[in-house]
């Protein structure tokens, strides 16, 4: 997979969908493409944040809580670790490769300077994050209503 | 130091000036004779009668007589030339020695300034004073006495000669001098004022520039660039105004002089001509006077120049010296002989009723009394304004109290030789500053008090050095040989340099610098040519690392160097060279400009391919980076193109898109080609380097090896599995391959393998010793501020001071490290007095005794909570 295809994948990620393709190209260029073997960890909960990941090929599982139980599965084109990166907080969960995985690591020290450098990019990311928050709030409201009915 | 320029000149070069003057005077009769001779030649030999003539008992006919006189004239030319040559050389030497002396004295002053003086005088102003401003003094000193003597004398001789010919002509020649003598000093005085102002303005400019360099981050962070530009512009404007005024006045003086000079011949032609026609003056005499007058112009001009120059130099000298004369200088450093009285433990450190006031008479320390026993460990805490920092400096003998005394074993600290304090006290301040040089240079600074033995180097080098020192003494410079052995091993308590290295490592471990040092050792490119033992052992490490990397888990992390295979994790350029070069020999960003590289590509049939690929890379670079500020970190980290070339490459890309690549000029192709060499296939993932190209690149590598020009022999070495490469770092040598891209945490995991192997082969200390050769950069910029503080503490500990004063110098360590390091320092210095001035009360609990300062007074002095608990 070449740089061009990586840019295509990033473009399909909602957080970046509206960002200028030229910026995404720089983002991809400055990112590392890494391959993980089955069972290899991307990171453990509590680790310092070194960046966000985009899965290009393969699947991974998110493990959380003290028992490290499975809470979600990730597949191609999925982005993870971005919240920790933006908030500069330790990882809240662990992520482990399920089978061989190829992923793009967007390093924190590339992404954050780009946000400050390109305000329009920061704006697009903010809008997308706000949408996400809106959806989460919506879901919360619906759930609360359902619970009340029961 | 003398207040006036002529005072300085007479004090230090009286003898030389006398020699110059004597030589000048001796040269005058010859000069006079050479002026008189033309007249004799014309009147006696050419125009004369009554031959043969008698000369020195010989008879001469007219032609031989003419030849004889001409030969004497020729001889005089040589003699006069010879005098001039000898005098000028001697003057030059005198002047340069005086300049050297003056600069040394000024520098010596800086080292002897009382510390508070530095608050008043900015560094940016001190530097141009010693470097630039006094430069003119050197050119002037040699001429100070001799120019007025020589040219004044010449002038007198010529005028005397004219009077001898005819007093009227003599009067004509000097008729205008009184006028000049009156108005030139008037004009000059104004000029002097302008010169003074110019010097001041230039200094201020230097200071603004210096500040901008130091504060450049804050300027960017505050977006104050425009303001600072305006500030400099304003300064430049003032300097321009002054310089223009100076120029105008200088020109006016010159113009008037030249004008008056041309006026004088009027008198010669009119009056002289009249006298010749009347028969009162021979034509030969008039010609000779005219010739002499022509000669008069040059000494007169020189005298005027001299007058202007001495005025300007005097101003500079006086202005510089005034800045180097603070009220109270520290005494000159004594030598070892004077130190011998101070051996063994010196006793308690006592502060008796010390008060310190600042420039505004505000009390920083207010009647402080404190006694600290020998070998006692004590912490002094307080808020920033409590006066504890100043108190630390007073304890270290760096600030002299306004009233009261600091005593060491009953002796007043200020009465002790400065060197006793400097050698027996280890003071560490909190400004993290190191000297440019290696880590070792910085650490050993505290042991270099004066030479302890001759330096290495043969008898020849030593003889040369003695000669240099003799010359240095002629200018009153340092009598010490910089290349001697300065390291006082005894002060560090070791017997030889090997033991010193061991102790240095221990001290560095003590301040928590060991793992940093190990990393520096790995990154260093030590010159181990003489250390064949270390080289052998590092090669053994290489073999062991290679063996461990065969493990299937690890094998995918490193792509080893293989002379016959393309390395996917190395750049195209690295693949071709397959070796390491000294810094700057093959600039990785400019390989396209290297003719040998292009030749190699051509032979391997890769030149056109290379340019094609480069064009694609250039397009990508322009797309990615053309709207990013070249100073930006993203640009520096990821762009293939240097900041100063991105604009040119952008134009090239537009040119290619418009007119096609075929139209590119040879020079433009070179600029582009540099991009090809920087591609790393697995890192950049552009899919441009095909398998076929990889094969060709290995071909190019063989081509490169075959005919490498001799000029690279001394700065380049190929990678050889069985050899240590002196131009590669220790880490690269040990790894002998490239860490691959695309494996998570590859660098860290490989680093762990290397560390394991080095530890298992007991080579950690060796690697750390290489780290001592690490260059710290200007001001220590290659190290983090905390690392700099560690080095500064280690430097003082290395010399085993009686008293170690840590004045807030751990504030840049992270919390846990602070506690650990304090503990280790106290353990290492258990027999020495340790005074730690701390901002963090928590740390103070690690000391048995804690003094709390508040508003310049001691608020509390008691055993610490920690000590109480024990």
């Amino acid at each position: 997979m070449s740089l061009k295809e990586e840019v295509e994948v990033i473009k399909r990620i909602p957080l970046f969908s509206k960002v200028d393709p030229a910026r995404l190209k720089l983002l991809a260029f400055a990112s590392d493409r890494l391959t993980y073997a089955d069972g290899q960890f991307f990171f453990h909960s509590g680790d310092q944040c070194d960046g966000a990941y985009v899965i290009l090929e393969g699947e991974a599982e998110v493990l959380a809580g003290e028992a490290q139980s499975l809470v979600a599965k990730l597949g191609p084109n999925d982005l993870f670790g971005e919240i920790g990166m933006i908030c500069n907080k330790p990882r809240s969960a662990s992520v482990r490769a399920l089978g061989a995985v190829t992923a793009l690591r967007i390093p924190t020290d590339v992404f954050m300077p780009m946000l400050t450098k390109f305000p329009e990019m920061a704006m697009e990311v903010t809008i997308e994050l706000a949408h996400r928050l809106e959806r989460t709030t919506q879901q919360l409201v619906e759930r609360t209503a359902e619970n009340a009915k029961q | 130091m003398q207040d006036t320029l002529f005072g300085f000149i007479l004090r230090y070069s009286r003898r030389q000036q006398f020699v110059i003057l004597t030589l000048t005077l001796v040269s005058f009769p010859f000069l006079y004779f050479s002026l008189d001779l033309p007249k004799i030649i014309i009147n006696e030999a050419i125009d004369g009668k009554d031959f043969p003539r008698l000369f020195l008992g010989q008879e001469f006919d007219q032609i031989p007589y003419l030849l004889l006189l001409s030969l004497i004239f020729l001889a005089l030319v040589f003699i006069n030339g010879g005098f001039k040559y000898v005098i000028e050389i001697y003057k030059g030497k005198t002047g340069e020695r005086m300049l050297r002396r003056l600069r040394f004295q000024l520098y010596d002053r800086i080292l002897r300034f009382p510390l508070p003086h530095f608050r008043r005088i900015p560094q940016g102003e001190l530097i141009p004073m010693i470097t630039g401003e006094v430069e003119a003094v050197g050119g002037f000193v040699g001429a100070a006495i001799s120019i007025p003597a020589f040219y004044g004398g010449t002038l007198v001789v010529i005028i005397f000669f004219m009077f001898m010919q005819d007093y009227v002509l003599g009067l004509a020649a000097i008729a205008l001098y009184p006028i000049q003598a009156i108005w030139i000093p008037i004009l000059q005085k104004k000029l002097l004022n302008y010169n003074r102002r110019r010097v001041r303005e230039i200094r201020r400019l230097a200071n603004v520039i210096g500040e901008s360099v130091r504060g450049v981050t804050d300027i960017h962070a505050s977006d104050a660039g425009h303001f600072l530009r305006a500030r400099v512009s304003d300064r430049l404007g003032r300097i321009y105004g002054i310089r223009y005024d100076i120029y105008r006045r200088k020109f006016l003086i010159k113009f008037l002089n030249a004008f008056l000079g041309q006026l004088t011949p009027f008198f010669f032609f009119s009056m002289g001509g009249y006298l010749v026609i009347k028969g009162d003056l021979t034509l030969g005499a008039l010609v000779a006077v005219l010739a002499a007058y022509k000669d008069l112009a040059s000494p007169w001009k020189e005298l005027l120049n001299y007058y202007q120059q001495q005025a300007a130099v005097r101003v500079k000298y006086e202005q510089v010296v005034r800045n180097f004369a603070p009220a109270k200088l520290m005494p000159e450093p004594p030598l070892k002989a004077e130190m011998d009285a101070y051996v063994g433990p010196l006793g308690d450190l006592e502060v008796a009723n010390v008060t310190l006031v600042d420039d505004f008479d505000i009390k920083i320390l207010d009647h402080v009394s404190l006694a600290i026993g020998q070998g006692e460990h004590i912490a002094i805490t307080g808020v920033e304004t409590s006066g504890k920092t100043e108190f630390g400096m007073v304890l270290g003998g760096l600030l002299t109290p306004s009233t009261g005394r600091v005593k060491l074993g009953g002796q007043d600290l200020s009465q002790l030789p400065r060197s006793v304090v400097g050698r027996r006290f280890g003071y560490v301040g909190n400004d993290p500053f190191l000297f440019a040089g290696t880590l070792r240079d910085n650490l050993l600074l505290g042991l270099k008090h004066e030479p302890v033995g001759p330096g290495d180097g043969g008898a020849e080098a030593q003889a040369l050095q003695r000669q240099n020192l003799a010359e240095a003494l002629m200018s009153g410079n340092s009598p010490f040989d910089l290349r001697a052995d300065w390291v006082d091993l005894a002060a560090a308590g070791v017997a030889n340099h090997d033991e010193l290295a061991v102790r240095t490592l221990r001290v560095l471990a003590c301040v928590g610098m060991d793992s940093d040092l190990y990393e520096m050792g790995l990154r260093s490119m030590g010159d181990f040519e003489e250390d064949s033992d270390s080289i052998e052992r590092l090669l053994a490490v290489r073999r062991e690392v290679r063996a461990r990397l065969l493990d299937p888990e690890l094998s995918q992390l490193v792509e080893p160097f293989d002379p016959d295979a393309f390395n996917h994790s190395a750049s195209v350029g690295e693949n071709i060279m397959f070796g390491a070069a000294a810094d700057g020999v093959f600039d990785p960003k400019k390989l396209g400009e290297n003719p040998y590289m292009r030749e190699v590509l051509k032979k391997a049939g890769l030149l056109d391919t290379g340019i094609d690929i480069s064009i694609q890379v250039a397009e990508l670079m322009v797309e990615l980076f053309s709207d990013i500020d070249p100073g930006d970190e993203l640009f520096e980290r990821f762009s293939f193109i240097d900041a100063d070339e991105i604009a040119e490459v952008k134009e090239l890309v537009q040119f290619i898109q418009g007119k096609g690549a075929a139209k590119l000029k040879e020079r433009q192709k070179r600029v582009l080609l540099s991009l090809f060499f920087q591609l790393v296939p697995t890192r950049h993932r552009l899919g441009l380097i095909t398998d076929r190209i990889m094969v060709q690149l290995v071909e190019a590598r063989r081509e490169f090896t075959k005919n490498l020009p001799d000029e690279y022999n001394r700065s380049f070495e190929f990678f050889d599995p069985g050899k240590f490469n002196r131009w590669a770092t220790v880490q690269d040598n040990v790894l002998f391959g490239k860490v691959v891209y695309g494996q998570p945490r590859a660098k860290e995991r490989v680093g762990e393998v290397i560390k394991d192997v080095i530890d298992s082969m007991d080579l950690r200390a060796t690697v750390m010793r290489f780290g001592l050769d690490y260059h710290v950069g200007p001001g220590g910029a290659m190290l983090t501020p905390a690392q700099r503080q560690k080095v500064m503490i280690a430097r003082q500990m290395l010399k085993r001071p009686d008293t170690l004063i840590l004045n807030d110098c751990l504030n840049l360590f992270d919390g846990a490290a602070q506690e650990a390091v304090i503990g280790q320092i106290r353990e290492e210095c258990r027999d020495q007095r340790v005074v730690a001035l701390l901002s963090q009360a928590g740390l103070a609990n690690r000391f048995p005794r804690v003094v709390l300062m508040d508003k310049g007074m001691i608020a509390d002095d008691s055993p610490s909570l920690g000590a109480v608990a024990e």
Side-chain angles (χ1 to χ4, degrees):
Chain A
M1 194 181 272
S2 71
L3 183 70
K4 240 181 233 158
E5 296 160 298
E6 289 163 16
V7 175
E8 287 305 316
V9 172
I10 296 182
K11 220 185 284 180
R12 265 177 263 144
I13 296 169
L15 187 64
F16 299 128
S17 58
K18 301 240 171 54
V19 176
D20 181 355
R23 305 283 179 244
L24 294 184
K25 207 165 189 178
L26 178 57
L27 198 63
F29 185 74
S31 297
D32 309 311
R33 190 171 61 193
L34 304 171
T35 50
Y36 290 81
D38 181 27
Q40 199 172 3
F41 278 88
F42 285 79
F43 48 75
H44 297 273
S45 57
D47 281 359
Q48 281 300 313
C49 261
D50 57 350
Y53 294 80
V54 179
I55 295 186
L56 300 174
E57 284 162 19
E59 288 188 322
E61 45 192 10
V62 182
L63 310 169
E66 262 177 40
Q68 290 287 292
S69 45
L70 180 71
V71 291
K73 265 196 183 175
L74 300 162
N77 302 348
D78 277 345
L79 173 78
F80 61 93
E82 76 280 15
I83 299 300
M85 174 172 76
I86 293 171
C87 305
N88 190 26
K89 275 172 126 174
R91 302 291 187 193
S92 56
S94 309
V95 176
R96 185 168 66 187
L98 201 62
V101 177
T102 312
L104 205 59
R105 185 178 72 96
I106 304 171
T108 312
D109 58 359
V110 168
F111 184 74
M112 296 312 281
M114 279 185 75
L115 280 193
T116 44
K117 201 78 48 197
F118 307 117
E120 82 285 351
M121 178 171 164
M123 189 53 95
E124 293 303 339
V125 170
T126 315
I127 291 172
E128 185 51 40
L129 286 174
H131 279 310
R132 214 192 264 183
L133 182 66
E134 192 193 2
R135 279 196 300 275
T136 317
T137 319
Q138 192 68 40
Q139 284 169 0
L140 190 68
V141 170
E142 283 165 13
R143 291 261 173 89
T144 321
E146 269 172 36
N147 285 349
K149 258 187 232 165
Q150 286 167 7
Chain B
M1 189 175 267
Q2 281 61 34
D3 295 340
T4 64
L5 176 60
F6 280 90
F8 176 70
I9 290 173
L10 289 178
R11 167 79 176 74
Y12 292 110
S13 66
R14 213 171 334 161
R15 237 189 54 218
Q16 286 78 359
Q17 302 291 353
F18 180 73
V19 171
I20 295 172
L21 199 59
T22 312
L23 281 172
T24 309
L25 290 179
V26 171
S27 72
F28 277 143
F30 297 95
L31 184 68
Y32 177 82
F33 195 45
S34 72
L35 288 171
D36 200 40
L37 201 55
K39 189 187 83 179
I40 299 177
I41 292 175
I42 293 171
N43 286 347
E44 306 283 323
I46 301 176
D47 226 11
K49 291 163 184 73
D50 314 325
F51 286 98
R53 302 256 177 126
L54 211 62
F55 187 82
L56 293 175
Q58 294 270 333
E59 288 201 342
F60 288 91
D61 277 329
Q62 187 170 16
I63 300 293
Y65 188 61
L66 172 69
L67 281 180
L68 174 74
L69 291 184
S70 302
L71 282 178
I72 295 177
F73 182 78
L74 187 65
L76 282 173
V77 169
F78 277 107
I79 293 173
N80 285 331
F83 267 115
K84 207 165 172 142
Y85 179 79
V86 172
I87 292 172
E88 288 301 322
I89 293 289
Y90 193 81
K91 266 160 57 177
K93 193 159 144 185
T94 307
E96 294 308 323
R97 277 192 185 147
M98 288 291 276
L99 176 62
R100 182 175 180 181
R101 178 188 295 273
L102 179 60
R103 283 189 168 146
F104 184 78
Q105 286 192 352
L106 293 174
Y107 178 74
D108 175 67
R109 290 264 156 144
I110 292 183
L111 293 189
R112 289 168 54 201
F113 279 169
L115 295 185
H117 189 64
F118 286 102
R119 259 180 290 171
R120 259 166 262 147
I121 182 157
Q123 172 196 356
E125 293 190 12
L126 282 177
I127 295 166
M129 283 192 241
I130 299 187
T131 53
E133 287 178 31
V134 297
E135 182 97 29
V137 174
F140 178 74
V141 166
I145 311 269
S146 66
I147 288 253
F150 181 78
Y151 289 107
T154 311
L155 205 66
V156 171
V157 169
I158 295 173
I159 291 170
F160 177 70
F161 169 79
M162 287 181 175
F163 273 90
M164 290 302 290
Q165 303 307 316
D166 189 290
Y167 74 95
V168 179
L169 289 185
L171 278 178
I174 60 167
L176 297 172
Y177 282 7
I179 305 176
Q180 283 163 302
I182 293 169
W183 61 259
I184 289 179
I186 298 176
L187 282 178
Q188 190 65 39
K189 209 166 178 184
K190 288 204 171 150
L191 205 53
L192 274 190
N193 279 330
Y194 281 109
N195 264 326
R196 262 186 213 122
R197 278 178 46 201
R198 187 190 59 173
V199 169
R200 267 202 303 271
E201 286 299 332
I202 294 276
R203 257 183 226 159
R204 284 183 193 141
L205 175 69
N207 193 36
V208 173
I209 296 171
E211 276 184 0
S212 305
V213 172
R214 282 206 73 165
V216 72
T217 331
D218 294 304
I219 295 173
H220 290 314
S222 321
D223 188 25
H226 285 304
F227 180 72
L228 275 130
R229 282 187 183 91
R231 206 165 110 186
V232 164
S233 176
D234 180 58
R235 290 256 161 253
L236 291 175
R238 283 182 211 202
I239 293 170
Y240 162 80
I242 296 169
R243 287 190 69 100
Y244 181 58
D245 279 338
I246 290 176
Y247 177 81
R248 260 187 15 218
R249 288 199 154 65
K250 256 193 183 160
F251 181 74
L252 184 66
I253 296 179
K254 276 212 175 93
F255 168 77
L256 283 172
N257 280 330
F259 178 72
L260 291 175
Q262 282 166 355
L263 217 54
T264 312
F266 162 77
F267 297 106
F268 290 144
F269 291 130
S270 53
M271 288 195 280
Y274 174 80
L275 289 175
V276 172
I277 293 168
K278 279 282 182 174
D280 289 345
L281 189 71
T282 64
L283 184 61
L286 181 62
V287 171
V289 167
L290 275 173
Y293 182 71
K294 211 181 93 240
D295 288 338
L296 199 62
S298 114
W300 182 242
K301 216 173 91 193
E302 293 286 346
L303 277 179
L304 283 175
N305 275 346
Y306 169 82
Y307 180 71
Q308 293 190 309
Q309 201 195 351
Q310 67 87 22
V313 172
R314 229 175 53 208
V315 170
K316 281 186 186 160
Y317 178 88
E318 281 158 21
Q319 275 194 315
V320 169
V321 168
R322 199 174 308 144
N323 278 297
F324 282 79
K328 214 169 137 196
L329 278 179
M330 295 185 192
E332 288 186 43
L335 298 176
K336 190 160 177 26
E338 301 168 49
M339 304 265 310
D340 286 345
Y342 305 94
V343 285
L346 295 178
D348 287 357
L349 185 62
E350 273 173 89
V351 180
N353 220 8
V354 158
T355 297
L356 182 74
V357 297
D358 67 7
D359 291 348
F360 304 104
D361 263 349
I362 292 168
K363 280 182 186 164
I364 297 170
L365 295 176
D366 192 356
H367 297 90
V368 178
S369 295
L370 187 71
I372 306 169
Q374 206 156 343
E376 188 175 357
H377 288 191
I378 171 173
I380 300 175
T381 66
V383 295
E384 204 192 332
T385 52
S386 60
K388 73 171 188 328
T389 306
E390 288 80 1
F391 188 52
M393 294 180 80
V394 168
L395 282 176
L398 294 166
L399 275 182
T400 313
S402 311
T403 61
R405 285 205 160 63
V406 182
K407 284 192 268 189
L408 184 64
Q411 291 198 65
D412 196 331
L413 208 57
S414 60
Q415 302 300 317
L416 284 175
R418 175 72 230 150
S419 307
V420 173
V421 181
R423 297 180 198 193
R424 305 298 290 271
F425 279 58
Y427 175 89
V428 192
N430 73 349
D431 182 16
F433 176 84
L434 296 180
F435 292 89
T438 64
L439 204 56
R440 179 183 279 110
D441 294 338
N442 270 290
L443 287 163
L444 297 189
L445 197 68
L447 298 175
K448 293 179 177 175
H449 305 304
E450 57 192 271
V452 291
D456 24 297
E460 207 173 309
Q462 303 247 342
L464 182 73
Q465 209 43 42
R466 266 197 300 280
Q467 208 177 323
N468 287 342
L469 284 185
E471 176 60 48
L473 289 178
M474 299 289 266
S475 314
N477 275 219
S478 165
F480 297 127
D481 180 2
L482 178 65
R483 286 159 200 83
D485 182 7
W486 284 75
V487 180
D488 187 354
L489 294 170
V494 294
N496 55 46
H497 281 269
D498 272 338
E499 282 183 26
L500 179 65
V502 172
R503 185 168 150 72
T504 308
L505 294 190
R506 199 174 82 217
V507 170
L508 282 173
C510 185
V511 294
M513 182 87 181
D514 39 357
S515 57
D516 305 276
L517 192 64
Y518 170 78
E519 293 293 328
M520 288 172 195
L522 283 182
R523 270 182 282 148
S524 74
M525 211 162 20
D527 189 0
F528 319 129
E529 290 212 322
E530 280 155 32
D531 196 354
S532 55
D533 185 41
S534 296
I535 290 183
E536 270 319 305
R537 302 212 288 172
L538 286 171
L539 286 175
V541 174
R542 179 191 289 179
R543 288 189 291 272
E544 177 64 20
V545 167
R546 176 66 66 90
R548 291 209 191 176
L549 287 175
L550 289 178
D551 177 304
E553 278 266 306
L554 299 170
S555 65
Q556 49 187 338
L557 298 183
V558 176
E559 200 175 353
F561 288 138
D562 177 349
D564 298 316
F566 183 82
N567 192 313
H568 300 75
S569 309
S571 72
V572 167
E574 288 168 321
N575 263 296
I576 296 178
M577 290 193 286
F578 201 66
D583 258 359
V585 176
F586 287 106
D587 184 344
K589 284 194 168 183
K590 298 252 157 74
L591 283 178
E593 323 240 341
N594 185 308
Y596 183 61
M597 266 296 181
R598 287 200 305 275
E599 193 189 310
V600 165
L601 273 197
K602 204 167 181 183
K603 281 192 183 153
L606 271 172
L607 198 55
D608 291 335
T609 318
I611 291 173
D612 276 350
I613 292 178
S614 296
I615 292 173
Q616 296 180 54
V617 176
E619 285 169 349
L620 177 70
M621 287 295 140
V622 169
E623 185 186 348
L624 293 182
F625 294 105
S626 64
D627 60 348
I628 292 186
D629 179 22
D632 197 276
E633 205 204 318
L634 285 173
F635 191 99
E636 302 227 331
R637 265 174 66 191
F638 297 105
S639 171
F640 285 18
I641 306 167
D642 275 344
D644 53 343
E645 281 181 351
I646 184 91
E648 188 184 353
V649 174
K650 194 172 176 180
E651 274 172 31
L652 284 181
V653 167
Q654 282 162 357
F655 177 88
I656 294 165
Q657 284 160 355
K659 299 189 175 159
K663 288 263 169 70
L664 282 174
K665 291 199 187 72
E666 200 51 43
R667 208 196 67 78
Q668 297 169 323
K669 284 185 188 170
R670 281 178 216 168
V671 172
L672 288 174
L673 196 56
S674 293
L675 304 180
F676 174 54
F677 290 104
Q678 296 177 56
L679 268 182
V680 179
T682 51
R683 172 164 180 214
H684 298 118
R685 320 183 293 273
L686 299 177
L688 294 172
I689 309 286
T690 60
D691 289 349
R692 205 182 102 74
I693 296 176
M694 292 178 193
V695 172
Q696 280 174 302
L697 282 170
V698 175
E699 202 50 50
R701 177 187 300 171
R702 297 205 181 95
E703 203 55 62
F704 183 86
T705 324
K706 228 186 284 169
N707 295 317
L708 187 70
D710 288 343
E711 58 180 297
Y712 295 118
N713 274 350
R714 300 183 56 174
S715 51
F716 180 83
E717 262 179 43
F718 294 107
F719 290 134
D720 180 336
K723 266 174 67 184
F724 193 87
N725 192 315
R726 63 174 296 202
W727 299 116
T729 62
V730 172
Q731 174 154 331
D732 288 348
N733 262 301
V734 166
L735 186 60
F736 203 67
K738 283 272 173 185
V739 177
V740 301
Y741 294 93
Q743 286 295 327
R745 293 186 58 247
K747 274 214 167 104
E748 290 87 338
R749 284 152 75 193
V750 171
E752 280 158 22
V753 171
I754 292 178
K755 188 165 169 289
D756 272 358
V757 174
I758 284 178
D759 283 351
S760 72
M761 300 181 88
D762 209 14
L763 274 172
R764 193 173 159 83
T766 309
V767 171
M768 282 163 73
R769 277 169 82 156
F770 296 148
L772 292 176
D773 286 320
Y774 189 80
H775 279 266
V776 301
M782 301 294 285
L783 270 52
T784 65
Q787 284 174 334
R788 275 177 249 160
Q789 286 192 328
K790 290 177 186 175
V791 175
M792 288 167 67
I793 300 173
R795 174 196 291 162
Q796 296 302 335
M797 287 174 66
L798 199 56
K799 72 177 186 193
R800 297 185 312 161
D802 293 347
T803 306
L804 182 66
I805 299 174
L806 305 170
N807 202 346
D808 223 350
C809 59
L810 297 109
N811 57 346
L812 298 172
F813 292 34
D814 54 55
Q818 273 178 342
E819 299 236 342
V821 167
I822 282 280
Q824 286 156 13
I825 291 176
R826 285 197 51 211
E827 172 61 23
E828 177 73 22
C829 302
R830 54 192 169 276
D831 300 327
Q832 291 147 275
R833 185 178 6 244
V834 177
V835 183
L837 298 112
L838 301 166
S839 304
Q840 306 88 337
L843 272 186
N845 278 331
R846 306 209 131 237
F847 284 79
R849 177 181 170 195
V850 180
V851 168
L852 177 69
M853 290 196 67
D854 186 30
K855 300 193 183 84
M857 289 182 276
I858 290 182
D860 185 37
D861 181 353
S862 56
S864 73
L865 294 177
V868 172
E870 271 175 37

